[in-house]
Amino acid sequence: MMDRLYALYMREAKRIFRSVYMWIMLISQPIMWLVFFGSSFSGVPSQVLTSFFHTTNYIAFILPGELSISMLFVGMFSSMSLIQDKRFGYLKRVLITPTPKYDVFLAKTLGGMTRGLLQVPILLVASYFLGVRLDLTPLSLGVLFLSLAFVGIGFSSLYSMFTLKTADWQAPGVISNLINLPLMFSSTALFPKAFFPGWLRAISDVNPLTYAAELNRGMLLYNDPSWNYLGYLAMFALVMVLLGSILTNKYLNAE
Amino acid sequence: MYSIETENLTKKYGDFVAVDHISFKVEKGEIFGLLGPNGAGKTTTIKMLTGLTPPTEGDAVIAGYSIRKNPIEVKSRIGWISSEVILDDDLTAWENLEIQARLTGVRNWKERATSLLKYFGILDFANRKTGKFSTGMRKKLEVSMALLNSPEVIFMDEPTIGLDVNTRATMWNLIREINRDYQVTILLTTHYMEEADSLCSRIGIINKGKIIALGTPEELKSRYGGDIIEIELKNGTNVNVGFENAVVTNGKVRIKVSNAETMLMDVIRAIGNDNIKGIKINKSSLDTVFINLTGGTIEEQDFDARRFYAMIRRARR
């Protein structure tokens, strides 16, 4: 029943919107990326930028990448939220009602996605002030949000799957350490893969972050998106959600 | 007509038997108490009856449905109150109620929620975050949430643990009132004798996973009761009391007698004036029932919780 998922999702959303610290995190983290990391190439001659990044502004290059990375990072919050519910016993309260376990999982996943998507408008505005001009149309915005939603759902699911059976506060940090850095640096979110060694390129070619970064770069900067990338991301989200739902029904503990 | 029937209900964690083939029946409208020390298996029993954990063996029928075959039907007909109050403290009372209503599938939940909050006198606080509530108010909100889906049975796990004397008395009244006004069967667990005695129409005494006695408080007292004379000894190591039913532990002698007042002088004479530090008389009560059944007080039965949880954790892996 949708009513149950709705109730659990609204709970996640309210908790996100009401936390001051969450807003500080949401606003500061992506902007710090753009300002500090994005500025690291600002002295590079523009021919170099054009030939390697196909743009004269590195911030414009990493913006779609950073948006994708944001969706990766929020995954951690879904598993933190799940562990918090175990610790405070709230999960017992939920599982004593006729609520299927996968509803709990889906609510956490959608909560993580929501949290990530809130960063999109913040980053778009921030990049405007940093001199980035993007090709913003209803279509490109729609695709941007949709593709990032897929990435968010996929990674939030992945995170939740890893912490289904544990109630240890440390677990999300450990998982994020093992997932975030390899996926971030093996994608083309920050650098083109022209200089990657073969093995890194192989990872990059299946990494959903690469697909999200490339799709939105094509959409927002070059007006030439690869539509099948959107399909790849949709498949990624679907597979993760299905797998996560099955594992949750089997392995989720109330404590 | 029974609201709860359990048949050989058993839960094992690895080699450890937390609940050992318990069978009991609770009639509709009854307040039934599971009385026992910490670690006796009370909470595990509730976890099985509410569908949080599957039984290893046996079955229970609640409100006409088997917890093995129809757990969803069972879950939509029960309410639950935890020993620690569990609410979402970032949300208001009303929002907590809304989530509970949607999760249990209640249709006209707003009317029901309003009337429940009014009944418990906390309607004015509906739009405040529950994190700011006092413990008494939080308990009341939790009871409202448990009643929201008009359950046939409410499970209360140690409902008054950690409450002060006043709040506990209020909670007792509240339990009696909802039992009467909402015609709901209540199964509660407790390790307070006076709580079981005052609230419950029938009691099951549970120790080490087994139900060792079952009946009304009066039945239990007359069957297993009797007065107890407890004498604290100056020199507790070497005593020959010479009475039947005498137990010596930790420098104390406990003697079960039919009437303490008439027997007291004989006991003192037998032990000897010089060796007596203090005398205590327990008139027949659930305390004495428990002592007679297990040979120790309920406090002494408290077991090593750390070992127990370590065992459960190991078994889960």
Side-chain angles (χ1 to χ4, degrees):
Chain A
M1 266 224 336
M2 288 307 281
D3 222 25
R4 300 202 165 99
L5 178 57
Y6 170 81
L8 292 173
Y9 171 67
M10 283 314 286
R11 171 167 177 258
E12 297 296 321
K14 281 174 182 163
R15 291 167 66 97
I16 293 169
F17 280 103
R18 283 178 196 176
S19 164
V20 176
Y21 288 98
M22 201 279 322
W23 282 110
I24 295 173
M25 178 84 173
L26 273 190
I27 294 172
S28 64
Q29 195 200 31
I31 291 180
M32 286 203 270
W33 266 94
L34 284 193
V35 172
F36 290 98
F37 192 80
S39 302
S40 56
F41 281 141
S42 62
V44 174
S46 60
Q47 310 95 288
V48 180
L49 282 175
T50 318
S51 65
F52 291 121
F53 298 109
H54 306 291
T55 170
T56 52
N57 187 345
Y58 181 61
I59 293 182
F61 178 84
I62 64 161
L63 179 71
E66 167 46 24
L67 282 168
S68 318
I69 291 172
S70 298
M71 302 310 292
L72 168 67
F73 278 32
V74 289
M76 187 169 86
F77 295 109
S78 345
S79 62
M80 274 166 58
S81 176
L82 189 58
I83 285 171
Q84 191 180 14
D85 280 356
K86 289 183 189 179
R87 285 273 165 152
F88 291 122
Y90 199 85
L91 196 53
K92 275 193 267 179
R93 170 172 285 299
V94 174
L95 294 182
I96 279 174
T97 68
T99 307
K101 288 181 180 176
Y102 61 79
D103 272 352
V104 176
F105 165 80
L106 291 176
K108 297 293 176 202
T109 300
L110 292 175
M113 178 203 78
T114 307
R115 201 171 177 132
L117 289 181
L118 288 174
Q119 296 189 331
V120 180
I122 297 168
L123 263 175
L124 290 180
V125 171
S127 69
Y128 182 85
F129 286 107
L130 292 167
V132 178
R133 294 295 172 270
L134 299 168
D135 198 2
L136 293 179
T137 62
L139 176 70
S140 71
L141 274 175
V143 173
L144 178 68
F145 271 94
L146 190 62
S147 61
L148 292 177
F150 288 149
V151 179
I153 289 174
F155 284 118
S156 292
S157 303
L158 189 64
Y159 267 96
S160 305
M161 276 185 249
F162 277 115
T163 49
L164 277 180
K165 289 198 77 168
T166 182
D168 190 336
W169 288 120
Q170 306 293 341
V174 174
I175 304 298
S176 87
N177 182 48
L178 292 175
I179 294 181
N180 285 359
L181 297 182
L183 282 184
M184 180 169 78
F185 289 120
S186 72
S187 76
T188 60
L190 304 173
F191 306 107
K193 63 182 172 187
F195 304 116
F196 285 9
W199 62 270
L200 196 59
R201 198 179 293 205
I203 303 174
S204 178
D205 286 344
V206 291
N207 187 341
L209 284 185
T210 299
Y211 288 80
E214 296 296 331
L215 171 70
N216 290 308
R217 212 167 267 151
M219 177 81 66
L220 298 170
L221 301 182
Y222 319 131
N223 202 7
D224 176 27
S226 311
W227 290 110
N228 49 343
Y229 287 10
L230 188 61
Y232 183 87
L233 295 173
M235 279 309 291
F236 169 63
L238 185 68
V239 168
M240 287 295 152
V241 161
L242 286 178
L243 194 61
S245 301
I246 293 166
L247 291 176
T248 306
N249 261 12
K250 214 167 168 183
Y251 294 116
L252 182 67
N253 287 332
E255 288 165 291
Chain B
M1 177 71 182
Y2 295 108
S3 282
I4 304 172
E5 289 174 80
T6 76
E7 179 93 40
N8 288 325
L9 201 61
T10 303
K11 182 74 189 181
K12 290 181 187 159
Y13 294 102
D15 291 337
F16 180 73
V17 187
V19 175
D20 193 358
H21 297 88
I22 63 171
S23 304
F24 60 87
K25 288 176 179 167
V26 179
E27 264 181 64
K28 204 164 186 237
E30 232 185 326
I31 302 182
F32 182 86
L34 275 179
L35 173 70
N38 294 331
K42 305 187 298 285
T43 301
T44 310
T45 305
I46 287 207
K47 276 190 186 166
M48 285 190 279
L49 296 180
T50 52
L52 266 187
T53 186
T56 319
E57 227 186 291
D59 197 1
V61 175
I62 294 170
Y65 291 92
S66 152
I67 56 168
R68 274 184 185 278
K69 292 180 208 117
N70 290 309
I72 299 293
E73 297 295 332
V74 172
K75 285 173 174 196
S76 57
R77 285 168 177 78
I78 59 172
W80 172 72
I81 289 162
S82 56
S83 48
E84 68 276 49
V85 186
I86 298 172
L87 300 167
D88 189 328
D89 287 344
D90 294 329
L91 302 183
T92 65
W94 190 253
E95 287 165 337
N96 270 291
L97 282 161
E98 172 173 5
I99 294 175
Q100 186 72 22
R102 290 185 189 274
L103 293 184
T104 46
V106 182
R107 296 247 175 269
N108 301 318
W109 68 272
K110 285 182 186 168
E111 295 160 32
R112 177 90 178 159
T114 310
S115 81
L116 282 165
L117 289 179
K118 208 180 277 172
Y119 180 85
F120 292 113
I122 50 173
L123 185 58
D124 292 344
F125 305 96
N127 292 316
R128 277 206 215 162
K129 283 192 185 176
T130 55
K132 305 222 162 86
F133 278 24
S134 70
T135 310
M137 281 161 71
R138 292 162 67 80
K139 277 276 176 196
K140 284 178 180 172
L141 178 59
E142 229 192 2
V143 179
S144 323
M145 286 163 74
L147 285 167
L148 208 49
N149 62 332
S150 315
E152 178 170 337
V153 187
I154 289 188
F155 295 93
M156 297 187 175
D157 195 4
E158 314 251 4
T160 64
I161 201 162
L163 298 184
D164 64 40
V165 181
N166 277 329
T167 319
R168 178 178 298 173
T170 316
M171 191 70 195
W172 284 1
N173 280 331
L174 204 142
I175 291 171
R176 286 190 201 101
E177 279 163 20
I178 61 167
N179 172 250
R180 187 190 62 217
D181 296 347
Y182 291 92
Q183 281 94 46
V184 59
T185 309
I186 294 173
L187 183 146
L188 61 86
T189 69
T190 181
H191 61 249
Y192 298 120
M193 302 284 178
E194 70 276 22
E195 182 161 299
D197 202 357
S198 128
L199 279 179
C200 301
S201 46
R202 280 191 321 127
I203 295 169
I205 296 183
I206 181 167
N207 194 34
K208 294 178 181 153
K210 289 193 172 110
I211 290 196
I212 50 178
L214 200 64
T216 67
E218 285 66 36
E219 277 168 13
L220 293 177
K221 279 183 229 167
S222 68
R223 206 182 315 155
Y224 305 102
D227 299 352
I228 288 189
I229 301 174
E230 192 180 287
I231 294 181
E232 205 179 336
L233 302 168
K234 281 182 182 156
N235 170 17
T237 45
N238 189 12
V239 224
N240 186 4
V241 187
F243 274 90
E244 259 183 284
N245 302 323
V247 186
V248 187
T249 42
N250 300 331
K252 282 180 189 166
V253 186
R254 247 185 242 123
I255 303 162
K256 186 188 162 190
V257 293
S258 50
N259 188 331
E261 283 85 351
T262 55
M263 292 296 290
L264 188 58
M265 286 317 292
D266 292 343
V267 173
I268 292 173
R269 228 171 280 130
I271 293 174
N273 277 331
D274 301 341
N275 198 14
I276 296 176
K277 209 196 267 176
I279 297 177
K280 203 166 116 190
I281 292 177
N282 285 328
K283 295 296 287 178
S284 187
S285 70
L286 280 178
D287 272 301
T288 54
V289 171
F290 193 85
I291 291 165
N292 286 330
L293 281 165
T294 66
T297 63
I298 202 161
E299 289 87 9
E300 283 168 5
Q301 292 290 313
D302 273 3
F303 75 139
D304 189 344
R306 224 175 346 156
R307 232 186 90 232
F308 173 71
Y309 285 115
M311 219 175 320
I312 289 182
R313 227 171 292 135
R314 234 177 294 132
R316 271 199 194 139
R317 288 205 184 111

